[in-house]
Amino acid sequence: MNRWCAGLLSVLLVAVVGCTTTPATKQGAGQLAIVGVTVVNPERDGAEATMADATVVISGERIVSVGPRASTSVPTGATRLDGKGKWLIPGMIDGHVHFFQSGNLYTRPDGADFNAVVPYAQETARNKARLPATFKVWLASGVTSVIDIGGPFWNFDMRDIADKTAAAPRVEVAGPLISMVDRVKLDLGDPPIIKIESPEAARALVARELERKPDFIKVWFIHQPGDDMAKQEAIVRAAGDAAHAAHLRLAVHATELDVAKASLRAGADYLVHSVFEEPVDDEFIALMRKNHALLCPTLFVRNGYAYTLSNRWQATPEEQRLADPQILAAMHDLDKMPKDKIPPRIAKLIADKPPINAPTVAEQNLKKLWDAGIPIVMGTDAGNVGTLHGPSVFREMALMHDAGLTPLQVLRSATTNGAKAMGRDDLGAIAPGKLADLVLLDADPLADVGNLSHAERVIKGGVVYDPKALIDSIR
Ligand SMILES: [Zn+2]
């Protein structure tokens, strides 16, 4: 099967689709060797970060050997993939996505209400039905694992579907967000965000979520003027204690410095955004260290809203190539929308075109935290308006590089540290025993982060995919 996938798929697109829908388990006895490739080890520094002219042997879904081509034997009958002039990285991990959202204009009516154009019920039904395509855009982008860090109870069904789908990333999930605020426009009977007003209510919601075996418990810590911070912190602590008692980690959305510190005092293990408007300080870093907490900066997501809602969103070349064509086609719906259907706030944004600035403070915080040794996880918050599933990782990683991280550090955040966020030691590195989740690039990712978008093949669990064929299969 691998011979078909690797050799003939690029010319036989029909066969590609057949191959890519074959469950990984049927590959069982299959052996694959990537020969003469430069292996990238994002967990290492200096000369150890690469091994030139190497051979990687995969048996079934796992890597069995990695070594110099001259001394690493290729098993008889194994399919050979020529790695000469190419680079092999671990499959990337996006530490912050939401499958209940599509990235289009209609996906967050609580922020921009286009129900008059596309009813939210229609949008959520579309997102559910489109799941196989959404999974494929992730794989096509070289992302072989994602963390869906909060959504409706349906999220648990989504994880089951991903587990049974070969052409899908590995998925970890949180259930509904334990929130300080209501979002009634998102409540169609299975709300992604649930307002919680006491520690007892937080414990009760965690208990309901535990029945579905979440990978994280997530709190949406929104602190508005006049809110009682101590009371809110007690709710977060109750959720955190209940999560920790079940051996789960507590993920928290907290974007202001005092709120982020309160989250850490309450037990947060994973901050799913940066602090956006203020510099982080020594107390914050000390709290991060005390909790062994990870942080996912999500540098692009706010500007995704700003570009889209002022009708200035433009697809990058990577998005043109790798995003869901259905979503791309809808990103300029404001061009043709009847004026009376455009909410006044959005009409004003389109008319005024307010300046959209780089996330400078968050970038400075990222650099400061990285230099302090805090583990940084690459994540996009994909699904939010203007942040598309899949290729938005390339926007995010470009901003991380702008913030001062080297390409190797950016890649480490997207692999080694992503695996840490998932709590898995079988992902995020190219070594014997690890799952064979890999991306074969035709350009050097350590010379330019942009080269991370140059996937020629994406391998998940030992099964080889052609990114172009994955996208062609969902057109
Ligand atoms: Zn999010």
Side-chain angles (χ1 to χ4, degrees):
M1 184 56 71
N2 274 330
R3 183 177 296 115
W4 279 87
C5 283
L8 294 178
L9 279 200
S10 51
V11 284
L12 290 175
L13 293 183
V14 177
V16 172
V17 178
C19 269
T20 55
T21 51
T22 303
T25 47
K26 291 199 179 152
Q27 296 278 316
Q31 290 189 310
L32 171 70
I34 305 164
V35 181
V37 74
T38 297
V39 168
V40 181
N41 300 307
E43 74 280 16
R44 300 184 202 163
D45 286 305
E48 297 218 317
T50 56
M51 183 196 291
D53 200 16
T55 289
V56 176
V57 180
I58 295 159
S59 181
E61 62 176 6
R62 288 188 189 269
I63 298 166
V64 290
S65 59
V66 181
R69 180 171 59 90
S71 58
T72 303
S73 59
V74 175
T76 312
T79 302
R80 282 171 176 262
L81 201 53
D82 184 11
K84 194 157 176 277
K86 291 166 192 162
W87 286 259
L88 192 69
I89 62 169
M92 292 185 283
I93 296 168
D94 189 321
H96 188 157
V97 315
H98 300 281
F99 283 102
F100 80 97
Q101 305 179 145
S102 67
N104 71 17
L105 284 168
Y106 315 111
T107 213
R108 284 301 293 265
D110 55 328
D113 190 344
F114 290 97
N115 266 296
V117 183
V118 174
Y120 184 56
Q122 187 180 318
E123 161 69 5
T124 56
R126 197 212 73 88
N127 295 343
K128 290 181 183 180
R130 193 68 178 160
L131 213 41
T134 310
F135 289 153
K136 283 181 178 176
V137 300
W138 281 111
L139 274 195
S141 300
V143 178
T144 51
S145 295
V146 299
I147 301 174
D148 184 320
I149 204 69
F153 271 95
W154 167 78
N155 255 13
F156 299 111
D157 301 333
M158 177 277 295
R159 180 182 56 186
D160 291 345
I161 297 166
D163 287 347
K164 289 182 201 137
T165 305
R170 301 176 200 280
V171 170
E172 289 194 350
V173 293
L177 310 192
I178 293 163
S179 172
M180 305 299 165
V181 294
D182 241 340
R183 284 291 182 264
V184 288
K185 287 185 181 177
L186 302 181
D187 186 358
L188 303 176
D190 180 14
I193 293 169
I194 297 178
K195 185 175 181 184
I196 292 297
E197 296 183 86
S198 68
E200 296 73 39
R203 283 188 282 272
L205 179 51
V206 172
R208 278 176 64 209
E209 296 188 10
L210 289 180
E211 291 172 20
R212 300 296 302 272
K213 301 201 183 317
D215 300 293
F216 290 87
I217 296 297
K218 165 86 174 283
V219 169
W220 212 41
F221 195 164
I222 307 295
H223 180 79
Q224 294 167 322
D227 286 346
D228 181 341
M229 184 71 95
K231 187 175 168 229
Q232 291 184 317
E233 192 177 317
I235 291 171
V236 182
R237 181 171 290 107
D241 289 351
H244 294 153
H247 306 289
L248 294 176
R249 280 153 317 145
L250 179 69
V252 182
H253 165 120
T255 58
E256 300 84 19
L257 186 59
D258 57 341
V259 182
K261 285 180 184 174
S263 304
L264 291 164
R265 281 194 299 268
D269 305 291
Y270 186 26
L271 294 185
V272 302
H273 293 289
S274 182
V275 170
F276 281 99
E277 309 295 349
E278 303 150 88
V280 292
D281 58 14
D282 290 345
E283 184 188 16
F284 176 83
I285 291 170
L287 286 164
M288 287 290 294
R289 286 202 183 115
K290 180 162 175 270
N291 289 17
H292 303 286
L294 301 101
L295 184 140
C296 180
T298 66
L299 298 173
F300 177 69
V301 63
R302 289 183 168 202
N303 281 355
Y305 276 91
Y307 284 118
T308 310
L309 297 180
S310 61
N311 203 20
R312 283 178 286 175
W313 191 92
Q314 294 291 335
T316 61
E318 294 77 28
E319 284 163 341
Q320 285 167 2
R321 194 157 50 83
L322 296 165
D324 182 344
Q326 253 190 27
I327 300 300
L328 278 182
M331 290 308 288
H332 299 286
D333 280 4
L334 284 167
D335 287 341
K336 58 187 183 207
M337 204 176 280
K339 295 276 172 284
D340 62 329
K341 303 264 168 123
I342 299 177
R345 185 176 75 85
I346 307 304
K348 186 163 169 24
L349 287 173
I350 296 169
D352 293 353
K353 296 185 177 49
I356 298 172
N357 301 316
T360 307
V361 176
E363 288 180 351
Q364 288 163 351
N365 285 340
L366 165 55
K367 176 73 172 136
K368 187 169 180 179
L369 292 167
W370 184 283
D371 291 345
I374 302 301
I376 299 296
V377 179
M378 190 279 293
T380 55
D381 213 353
N384 276 287
V385 176
T387 302
L388 272 49
H389 288 282
S392 64
V393 292
F394 306 115
R395 291 196 192 250
E396 186 66 27
M397 293 192 290
L399 289 173
M400 295 174 85
H401 183 246
D402 290 348
L405 268 56
T406 66
L408 176 66
Q409 291 169 339
V410 172
L411 183 60
R412 185 176 298 167
S413 75
T415 53
T416 319
N417 293 351
K420 277 185 196 160
M422 294 182 80
R424 293 185 64 150
D425 58 11
D426 55 353
L427 297 174
I430 303 177
K434 305 284 184 192
L435 284 162
D437 289 6
L438 303 160
V439 183
L440 187 65
L441 302 166
D442 70 4
D444 182 357
L446 303 187
D448 181 347
V449 279
N451 291 341
L452 288 166
S453 70
H454 283 236
E456 192 177 283
R457 290 289 183 272
V458 177
I459 302 169
K460 184 211 158 194
V463 182
V464 181
Y465 298 94
D466 172 355
K468 182 174 184 305
L470 285 169
I471 300 301
D472 285 344
S473 75
I474 60 169
R475 283 187 197 282

